[in-house]
Amino acid sequence: MSTIRRKKQPDKVRRDLLDAAARMAVQRGVADVTVDAVCQEAGVTKGAFFHHYQSKAALVAAVFEDLIARFEVDLAARMSADIEPHGRFTRAYLAAVTVPGEAGSEPLWAALCVSALADSALRRGWGDWLDGKLAEHREAGDLALRIVRAAADGLWLDTIAGTPATPQELAEITKRLRAMTLEDVT
């Protein structure tokens, strides 16, 4: 009798778990993401789950980190196409969170960010990431850029709350906010 052994694919298992948790967070909310449900959705055992993640909270944090990493790629692409150095990060951020169908507007952001409001570890992770990016791009102390990012966040929250600006309003608002990023008032 021969025993069939599957080739271990830890990266695939990790990706399958992240994707399953992300799908569940979008469809049912982060609160309904359970270890059992994620294992079933991903087609892996609990042993495989616990090999990669210590808990549901660790998995949710990893999904959030994965989403931030994808967001960072989007921001980097936007920044590389921007020839004006002052406010480059904030312009990329503004576009990413206000353009329908783009990185910041996808349903997973809504599910995770709403959860982050109640989860201090996720909130701290986002804050640390943003603080690092602002320092890296020398935008941390610029009040006008902070106002633009806060307004962008407000526009994003309007969208997930179901009260988005009309396309015409959004175009005018983002045009005015973008203009604020081009004024070096520091």
PDB file of all heavy atoms in Angstrom, residues 2 13 18 62 81 106 128 167:
ATOM      1  N   SER A   2       0.678   2.108  -0.940  1.00  0.00           N
ATOM      2  CA  SER A   2       1.509   3.301  -1.010  1.00  0.00           C
ATOM      3  C   SER A   2       0.761   4.502  -0.443  1.00  0.00           C
ATOM      4  O   SER A   2      -0.443   4.623  -0.571  1.00  0.00           O
ATOM      5  CB  SER A   2       1.918   3.576  -2.459  1.00  0.00           C
ATOM      6  OG  SER A   2       0.786   3.951  -3.194  1.00  0.00           O
ATOM      7  N   VAL A  13      -0.797  27.979   0.390  1.00  0.00           N
ATOM      8  CA  VAL A  13      -1.724  27.827   1.523  1.00  0.00           C
ATOM      9  C   VAL A  13      -1.944  29.178   2.201  1.00  0.00           C
ATOM     10  O   VAL A  13      -3.083  29.569   2.482  1.00  0.00           O
ATOM     11  CB  VAL A  13      -1.202  26.778   2.533  1.00  0.00           C
ATOM     12  CG1 VAL A  13      -2.025  26.785   3.818  1.00  0.00           C
ATOM     13  CG2 VAL A  13      -1.207  25.388   1.895  1.00  0.00           C
ATOM     14  N   LEU A  18      -5.463  33.873   3.115  1.00  0.00           N
ATOM     15  CA  LEU A  18      -5.683  35.320   3.016  1.00  0.00           C
ATOM     16  C   LEU A  18      -6.867  35.630   2.102  1.00  0.00           C
ATOM     17  O   LEU A  18      -7.738  36.443   2.448  1.00  0.00           O
ATOM     18  CB  LEU A  18      -4.428  36.024   2.475  1.00  0.00           C
ATOM     19  CG  LEU A  18      -3.245  36.159   3.406  1.00  0.00           C
ATOM     20  CD1 LEU A  18      -2.026  36.662   2.643  1.00  0.00           C
ATOM     21  CD2 LEU A  18      -3.566  37.072   4.567  1.00  0.00           C
ATOM     22  N   ALA A  62      -3.047  40.042   8.928  1.00  0.00           N
ATOM     23  CA  ALA A  62      -2.308  39.712   7.705  1.00  0.00           C
ATOM     24  C   ALA A  62      -3.094  40.129   6.463  1.00  0.00           C
ATOM     25  O   ALA A  62      -2.506  40.610   5.483  1.00  0.00           O
ATOM     26  CB  ALA A  62      -1.993  38.214   7.657  1.00  0.00           C
ATOM     27  N   ALA A  81       4.256  58.470 -11.877  1.00  0.00           N
ATOM     28  CA  ALA A  81       3.743  59.203 -13.038  1.00  0.00           C
ATOM     29  C   ALA A  81       3.575  60.700 -12.758  1.00  0.00           C
ATOM     30  O   ALA A  81       3.175  61.449 -13.641  1.00  0.00           O
ATOM     31  CB  ALA A  81       2.399  58.609 -13.461  1.00  0.00           C
ATOM     32  N   GLU A 106     -12.315  49.675  -3.022  1.00  0.00           N
ATOM     33  CA  GLU A 106     -12.803  48.308  -3.117  1.00  0.00           C
ATOM     34  C   GLU A 106     -13.495  47.892  -1.816  1.00  0.00           C
ATOM     35  O   GLU A 106     -13.189  48.410  -0.740  1.00  0.00           O
ATOM     36  CB  GLU A 106     -11.676  47.349  -3.499  1.00  0.00           C
ATOM     37  CG  GLU A 106     -10.616  47.150  -2.448  1.00  0.00           C
ATOM     38  CD  GLU A 106      -9.554  46.177  -2.908  1.00  0.00           C
ATOM     39  OE1 GLU A 106      -9.739  44.974  -2.680  1.00  0.00           O
ATOM     40  OE2 GLU A 106      -8.543  46.608  -3.475  1.00  0.00           O
ATOM     41  N   ASP A 128       0.778  53.629  11.836  1.00  0.00           N
ATOM     42  CA  ASP A 128       2.229  53.474  11.700  1.00  0.00           C
ATOM     43  C   ASP A 128       2.637  53.491  10.225  1.00  0.00           C
ATOM     44  O   ASP A 128       3.635  54.103   9.856  1.00  0.00           O
ATOM     45  CB  ASP A 128       2.710  52.174  12.348  1.00  0.00           C
ATOM     46  CG  ASP A 128       2.626  52.208  13.871  1.00  0.00           C
ATOM     47  OD1 ASP A 128       2.419  53.304  14.452  1.00  0.00           O
ATOM     48  OD2 ASP A 128       2.742  51.124  14.486  1.00  0.00           O
ATOM     49  N   PRO A 167     -20.802  62.368  -9.483  1.00  0.00           N
ATOM     50  CA  PRO A 167     -19.555  62.402 -10.262  1.00  0.00           C
ATOM     51  C   PRO A 167     -19.070  63.830 -10.537  1.00  0.00           C
ATOM     52  O   PRO A 167     -17.873  64.100 -10.491  1.00  0.00           O
ATOM     53  CB  PRO A 167     -19.919  61.668 -11.558  1.00  0.00           C
ATOM     54  CG  PRO A 167     -21.007  60.728 -11.151  1.00  0.00           C
ATOM     55  CD  PRO A 167     -21.799  61.470 -10.105  1.00  0.00           C
TER      56      PRO A 167
END
